Amino acid sequence: MKHIDRQILRLAVPSIVSNITVPLLGLVDMAIVGHMGGAVYIGAVSVGAMVFNLIYWVFGFLRMGTSGMTSQALGKRDLNGVAQMLARSVIVAWGIAAVIIIAQWPIKKLAFLVIGPEEEVAMMASDYFDICVWGAPAMLTLYSLSGWFVGMQNTRIPMMVSILQNVVNIAASLVMVYGLHMKVQGVATGTVIAQYVGVVFAVGLLNKNYRKLYKYLIWRNCLEKSKMLKFFKVNSDIFLRTLCLVAVNTFFLSAGARQGAVVLAVNTLLMQLFIFFSYFLDGFAYAGEALCGKLYGADNRRAFQTTVRRVMEWGAWVAGGFAILYLFEGQSILSLLTDESDVLMTADSYLYWAVAIPVVGVVAFIWDGIFVGITATRGMLMASGVATFVFFVLFLSLQTIWGNHALWMAFLAFLATRGIFQTFYYKKCCVF
């Protein structure tokens, strides 16, 4: 038991350090725009950032699928498969990035049409988009590299890359906004600079630590039709599952935006608390992903089942801690992000939803990591499909009565449904 806990923590702690820099960066960005003099700046950055979050979420299989298949190949000691998985994932990432850049205008128009921000917010968010779209090649390449490193049981490299990337992002954004007075454009420029610094650093660490694997790389096999079809077949469920998450998050943002700049700002700030928790908990989900995938590939049933139980228990402790933190210090945290009195007053009546998020969402997060590791992607898809249906039915039934509260209730029901469904699916279909 202690040995498994050490393995979990060895993988989880660097992932937590890595992941926690992401929401901290989001908090810094919100703090920067939150002191520019109006809720419209918060709304603009939130809309622009959400568009790219949605785009990158859709292609999240570049990280998740790469991690699961790499960890299983490592468990089988298939070094050829390990090397070719990295190359295959990066090639696909470059292709997707090229499509995003070429189709940037219709993507932006469609995204803004769906979200429906106010005119002033839309103009600023458009400037943000036009700059950040050029970071797509770097960002998607980092997805592939990070997934591969996790599959190789190495979370230290993603940690170092993430720390450097976010330090550069914060520094560049502060210089652009306060030194060059670029405001929203400055935040976007800082983001793109950091993305390319991060990918260059990641490639350097790849060459330093895994150069010996290059001899197993056969490029013609990476592009072989049957191998590519298998890659997309395994990841198609993750892709469709991610579309469900995109639909829910897009609708969540859109429903808030249609209620005005203040409600949009409130929902954005409260979602920062959700993001902070989720990236922290994802450290243990990544540990479950790497360890369970490797044990599954090695067909070590006993250690696999013990690892599943221990990762879930670690997740429960983390969720409890965050619920207590938000209960007693949630308002203080929000006060650090903005000094807009109307936003803070409105947020106070919604804060209890943020307190409930860790307790309700922990099971879904941990199962996602485990399911990715064992490539049980069909279960992830089915759970997300059912949960998405519950989200829309609940919100549409209660919106006229509870307004924005109905939106938050539906979101928590979405998280809970995923966790419950995956629990039953695992017991029925995944125990080997």
Side-chain angles (χ1 to χ4, degrees):
M1 188 72 72
K2 291 183 178 180
H3 174 66
I4 293 177
D5 283 341
R6 284 196 297 269
Q7 288 185 309
I8 292 172
L9 292 175
R10 178 179 60 83
L11 292 169
V13 171
S15 292
I16 290 170
V17 174
S18 174
N19 291 337
I20 206 171
T21 62
V22 177
L24 283 177
L25 173 63
L27 294 177
V28 171
D29 283 348
M30 284 297 116
I32 291 174
V33 298
H35 292 82
M36 286 182 180
V40 64
Y41 293 106
I42 299 176
V45 171
S46 69
V47 170
M50 179 58 75
V51 170
F52 284 101
N53 286 340
L54 296 176
I55 292 172
Y56 296 142
W57 283 347
V58 168
F59 303 110
F61 64 82
L62 288 171
R63 194 207 68 76
M64 292 185 286
T66 301
S67 173
M69 288 185 281
T70 300
S71 62
Q72 289 187 34
L74 183 65
K76 297 174 182 176
R77 301 183 183 277
D78 179 10
L79 297 183
N80 287 292
V82 165
Q84 290 171 29
M85 181 54 60
L86 173 61
R88 189 173 298 115
S89 182
V90 170
I91 290 171
V92 172
W94 290 344
I96 294 172
V99 172
I100 291 173
I101 290 176
I102 293 171
Q104 60 180 279
W105 187 84
I107 290 174
K108 179 174 68 173
K109 293 299 181 182
L110 178 60
F112 285 14
L113 178 64
V114 172
I115 296 173
E118 296 177 344
E119 183 177 356
E120 188 176 4
V121 172
M123 291 178 61
M124 293 184 182
S126 179
D127 293 337
Y128 183 96
F129 180 97
D130 292 342
I131 295 172
C132 282
V133 70
W134 295 99
M139 194 65 185
L140 294 178
T141 300
L142 281 171
Y143 270 33
S144 295
L145 291 173
S146 295
W148 190 82
F149 287 135
V150 172
M152 293 296 290
Q153 319 293 294
N154 186 337
T155 56
R156 290 181 177 272
I157 290 180
M159 176 188 70
M160 292 187 289
V161 172
S162 184
I163 291 174
L164 174 64
Q165 182 181 348
N166 287 289
V167 168
V168 170
N169 199 336
I170 292 171
S173 294
L174 289 172
V175 170
M176 297 292 176
V177 172
Y178 293 109
L180 302 179
H181 308 289
M182 294 177 65
K183 294 192 174 181
V184 171
Q185 295 93 329
V187 175
T189 302
T191 298
V192 173
I193 291 173
Q195 287 168 345
Y196 280 98
V197 170
V199 77
V200 170
F201 186 53
V203 171
L205 292 176
L206 173 69
N207 289 331
K208 179 180 178 181
N209 292 276
Y210 296 101
R211 183 180 298 274
K212 292 181 179 179
L213 287 176
Y214 291 170
K215 66 182 179 182
Y216 296 100
L217 183 59
I218 303 175
W219 285 100
R220 65 176 181 273
N221 289 347
C222 295
L223 299 175
E224 186 180 338
K225 183 178 179 180
S226 61
K227 298 289 181 64
M228 292 296 288
L229 288 176
K230 182 178 180 181
F231 179 85
F232 283 108
K233 181 179 180 181
V234 170
N235 287 289
S236 62
D237 288 336
I238 299 178
F239 177 79
L240 295 174
R241 168 258 188 189
T242 304
L243 289 182
C244 291
L245 272 63
V246 167
V248 169
N249 282 275
T250 301
F251 186 87
F252 186 95
L253 178 62
S254 178
R258 295 181 194 282
Q259 297 179 66
V262 172
V263 172
L264 174 60
V266 167
N267 285 354
T268 299
L269 293 176
L270 290 178
M271 284 300 288
Q272 293 300 314
L273 300 183
F274 168 67
I275 292 171
F276 187 82
F277 158 74
S278 65
Y279 279 107
F280 200 98
L281 188 62
D282 268 346
F284 288 95
Y286 288 177
E289 185 177 314
L291 291 173
C292 290
K294 182 179 179 181
L295 294 170
Y296 188 82
D299 199 27
N300 190 337
R301 178 184 302 184
R302 182 176 180 181
F304 173 84
Q305 294 176 347
T306 302
T307 300
V308 169
R309 184 176 69 255
R310 291 302 297 159
V311 171
M312 196 66 74
E313 290 171 356
W314 276 105
W317 282 107
V318 171
F322 270 94
I324 295 172
L325 173 65
Y326 292 162
L327 178 62
F328 292 102
E329 298 295 335
Q331 189 64 42
S332 298
I333 296 173
L334 294 180
S335 298
L336 294 174
L337 304 181
T338 183
D339 54 7
E340 295 292 321
S341 59
D342 54 344
V343 173
L344 290 172
M345 288 178 62
T346 305
D348 189 56
S349 62
Y350 293 97
L351 188 58
Y352 58 86
W353 294 115
V355 175
I357 282 176
V359 178
V360 173
V362 57
V363 176
F365 276 89
I366 297 300
W367 277 136
D368 278 352
I370 294 168
F371 277 35
V372 166
I374 64 176
T375 57
T377 53
R378 182 53 50 91
M380 296 175 66
L381 172 60
M382 294 171 64
S384 295
V386 172
T388 301
F389 177 79
V390 170
F391 170 84
F392 283 106
V393 169
L394 191 59
F395 174 72
L396 294 175
S397 300
L398 298 175
Q399 63 172 327
T400 56
I401 303 174
W402 288 354
N404 198 49
H405 287 286
L407 186 64
W408 279 98
M409 175 178 284
F411 184 72
L412 263 67
F414 171 75
L415 294 175
T417 302
R418 283 169 53 201
I420 293 170
F421 188 99
Q422 286 174 294
T423 299
F424 284 105
Y425 187 91
Y426 172 79
K427 292 181 178 179
K428 182 177 180 180
C429 304
C430 297
V431 178
F432 71 101

